Amino acid sequence: MRILLRWAVRLYPVTWRNRYGAEFDALLEDISPSFGDVCDVFGAALRARLTPPSYPSLAAATGSSMALRMPVVVSLTAHALMLVFVLAAAVHYVTPAPPHAFVAPVPPPTPEPPPTVTDARVFPNAWTLYSSLPLIPNNDNVMPLYVAHGVGINFLPLPDIGALYQRGEAQWRVWPGQALESFIIRRVLPEYPRNVETQGAVSVFVEYLIRRDGTVKVLRSAGPTPFTNAARWAIEQWIYRPLGYEDRGCQVLSRVEVRFDNAFAQDGLN
Amino acid sequence: MSDPTILILASLAEGDKHGYAIMEDIQVFAGVRLGPGTLYGAITRLEERGWIRAVKTESRRQPYRITAEGSLELKRQLALFGQVVRTGNRRLKEA
């Protein structure tokens, strides 16, 4: 402890030590120094460094007080800055970085599986669904009619779209055919009836019901018999995903026009 | 009353003393132990102000003596403290 005191005394300015050094050493020999005394001497030495002496003899001895204090001030400032940087670096080093919460990347949503290709004539490939098929000229009142090998499906504009029919316990809600396209899983196009000689186009209108399990039941149809049978047989093989309305399963009623065109059928067969 | 300059002046009012004697005396009459740095910082200021002066001696232990200006300053400070003490005591009785 006494060694520390001796070292602390050296921090006093030379002029102060020249004036008070001998008696201060004598005082330190008389006392039993403690750590508090070391801190006391250290602080007093710094104050003596930073405080210009006003005592005439000391001021005269030191000459320019600013010239004496400037190196000390610069040194203390530099050391203080270094201490700040070291402490900052230590805190930054010791303090563990906040754990980055590992968040697994959200997997991209599973794309909707393409509809099962059940009829190569309708779905030559999934990317050119319908578009590669020949298009029959239509008028303004009907939806575009897509035809493959002379047979096409036309989605009719339904006047009772959205209506709810109740028959006993069963409820049927009317949806247009084009709105059901995103739910269809399996579609079979009607075959053009063979050995039937008809000129021009023949339309068959079919009203069908999609059950809760997605299967289809034809309710009624209108048109020439061989064409009606072909349309009913094909449409009853359609399968939809189960449909719902307001989070409840429901049965859906829809209507389509199946158009048979002999000219296109001949082209397709060729 | 813990101002070391006043304590040193009060100690020297009794007679000349060197640093260690001042420290011991203050501890006895005021119950305050001045550190060596504090003691000699105050001695330096008192000497700068002319309130004490060093007495010539051959010893390493330098004695100090209070000057007339120091005695005047001590009286002024003690009068001020006395006024504070009287006021405090009177207000304590009134409370």
Side-chain angles (χ1 to χ4, degrees), chain A residues 4-269:
Chain A
L4 280 176
L5 266 181
R6 302 277 182 202
W7 181 83
V9 171
R10 294 182 184 178
L11 294 176
Y12 279 98
V14 176
T15 51
W16 189 94
R17 276 184 283 151
N18 291 339
R19 166 64 184 82
Y20 297 102
E23 57 188 279
F24 196 69
D25 284 344
L27 173 65
L28 296 181
E29 290 172 3
D30 291 337
I31 65 173
S32 299
S34 63
F35 182 71
D37 290 336
V38 175
C39 295
D40 182 65
V41 172
F42 186 79
L46 285 182
R47 281 194 297 275
R49 282 277 182 187
L50 297 174
T51 307
S54 58
Y55 188 51
S57 60
L58 283 178
T62 55
S64 171
S65 61
M66 184 57 73
L68 173 68
R69 285 184 293 128
M70 185 57 72
V72 178
V73 171
V74 171
S75 173
L76 287 176
T77 306
H79 281 81
L81 285 175
M82 285 177 60
L83 187 62
V84 167
F85 282 124
V86 167
L87 287 176
V91 168
H92 185 70
Y93 177 76
V94 172
T95 305
H100 295 285
F102 178 76
V103 179
V106 179
T110 306
E112 287 285 328
T116 306
V117 177
T118 58
D119 193 325
R121 295 171 301 177
V122 180
F123 303 103
N125 62 64
W127 298 107
T128 56
L129 189 64
Y130 294 127
S131 62
S132 65
L133 303 178
L135 179 66
I136 279 190
N138 63 326
N139 56 44
D140 293 337
N141 296 326
V142 296
M143 298 292 292
L145 175 64
Y146 303 102
V147 179
H149 303 306
V151 180
I153 305 296
N154 182 27
F155 302 123
L156 299 170
L158 305 181
D160 57 346
I161 180 172
L164 181 65
Y165 297 120
Q166 185 136 8
R167 183 171 296 177
E169 295 293 325
Q171 287 185 338
W172 304 339
R173 193 170 291 277
V174 179
W175 283 18
Q178 59 267 35
L180 296 167
E181 284 301 286
S182 59
F183 294 94
I184 194 162
I185 298 175
R186 180 171 182 243
R187 165 169 284 151
V188 176
L189 270 187
E191 296 275 354
Y192 194 97
R194 298 184 180 276
N195 304 320
V196 174
E197 293 294 336
T198 302
Q199 295 299 321
V202 175
S203 289
V204 172
F205 297 91
V206 179
E207 183 180 68
Y208 61 99
L209 179 71
I210 304 172
R211 302 187 184 96
R212 291 180 188 276
D213 61 355
T215 58
V216 173
K217 174 188 177 184
V218 174
L219 298 178
R220 53 184 174 171
S221 60
T225 301
F227 298 97
T228 305
N229 291 339
R232 292 178 68 108
W233 178 83
I235 289 173
E236 287 201 332
Q237 297 183 68
W238 293 1
I239 295 177
Y240 291 85
R241 280 188 288 153
L243 300 165
Y245 183 78
E246 293 182 347
D247 299 331
R248 294 174 55 189
C250 67
Q251 300 186 92
V252 172
L253 184 73
S254 188
R255 307 181 192 97
V256 294
E257 175 193 6
V258 182
R259 182 172 291 190
F260 298 85
D261 196 308
N262 190 32
F264 281 100
Q266 294 302 321
D267 290 344
L269 293 174

